[in-house]
């Protein structure tokens, strides 16, 4: 089993920044591609960003490119999501995800999920 615990969510004004963190325990962290997804009320869970096992390759949803940055620390077993220039449409519950064999970009391929952290962006 792999346990994922997110932190760093909160209320921020439009244009502000937040940094989410996801602490991972239970298995070898570096075996997993790590991602962030988000789910707004009444909507499906959507891909936000993914980082490969070494941290050398990343991919982002078009809606967050240039504003969000995903990174990982394979010593601290933690993945981060730096979110800048936040917009009201970024309001959602953000979920950390661990994907061993897939691309890390589709919810159906995720092996483990965190419980989520709420991000609210006010206009």
């Amino acid at each position: 089993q792999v346990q994922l615990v997110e932190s760093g969510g909160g209320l921020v004004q439009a244009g502000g920044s937040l940094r989410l963190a996801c602490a991972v325990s239970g298995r070898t962290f570096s075996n997993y591609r790590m991602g962030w997804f988000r789910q707004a009320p009444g909507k499906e869970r959507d891909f936000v960003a993914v980082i490969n096992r070494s941290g050398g390759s990343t991919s982002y949803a078009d809606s967050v490119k240039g504003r969000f940055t995903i990174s990982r620390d394979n010593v601290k077993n933690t993945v981060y999501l730096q979110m800048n220039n936040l917009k009201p449409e970024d309001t959602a519950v953000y979920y950390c995800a661990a994907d061993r064999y897939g691309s890390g970009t589709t919810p159906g391929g995720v092996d483990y999920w965190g419980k989520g952290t709420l991000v609210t962006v006010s206009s």
Side-chain angles (χ1 to χ4, degrees), residues 21-64:
C22 173
V24 181
S25 61
R27 290 285 176 90
T28 305
F29 178 66
S30 58
N31 284 346
Y32 291 85
R33 186 175 282 110
M34 298 300 300
W36 288 94
F37 291 76
R38 67 186 181 185
Q39 188 166 17
K43 296 189 176 182
E44 295 183 347
R45 192 169 297 189
D46 291 331
F47 165 73
V48 174
V50 65
I51 189 166
N52 72 344
R53 295 170 183 84
S54 69
S57 177
T58 59
S59 181
Y60 299 90
D62 287 344
S63 58
V64 306

Side-chain angles (χ1 to χ4, degrees), residues 82-103:
Q82 177 67 43
M83 306 185 295
N84 297 330
N85 190 22
L86 282 160
K87 304 175 181 181
E89 51 264 42
D90 294 318
T91 295
V93 177
Y94 283 72
Y95 296 91
C96 180
D99 190 328
R100 178 98 188 253
Y101 300 110
S103 66

